[in-house]
Amino acid sequence: MKCKACGHEYADNLKNCPHCGCAKDASCPPYVSCPRCGTVMPARRKECPGCGLAITPQNA
């Protein structure tokens, strides 16, 4: 299966993309903004390049 947010290929039996954390049936945006500093970045990023905050699907 191909992730709708980051394009990463992963196994069909997984619920979330192992690369960006987007749920299989969700339509995650391809870009997210950091809740701390507002930096806009690709959804596949795991850490904000502006402030270093760890980015998860729950806080993006």
Side-chain angles (χ1 to χ4, degrees), residues 3-4 7 13 22 25 31 43 45 51 58:
C3 178
K4 295 175 187 174
N13 63 336
C22 184
D25 297 328
Y31 291 92
R45 296 287 306 245
C51 68
Q58 291 77 28

Side-chain angles (χ1 to χ4, degrees), residues 1-55:
M1 147 161 258
K2 189 172 189 174
C3 178
K4 295 175 187 174
C6 72
H8 185 80
E9 291 284 340
Y10 64 96
D12 289 336
N13 63 336
L14 296 176
K15 288 185 175 185
N16 297 322
C17 173
H19 190 255
C20 73
C22 184
K24 184 192 305 191
D25 297 328
S27 58
C28 295
Y31 291 92
V32 295
S33 60
C34 176
R36 182 189 290 163
C37 72
T39 299
V40 176
M41 68 202 106
R44 67 180 179 273
R45 296 287 306 245
K46 302 238 183 215
E47 184 176 287
C48 174
C51 68
L53 178 70
I55 303 298

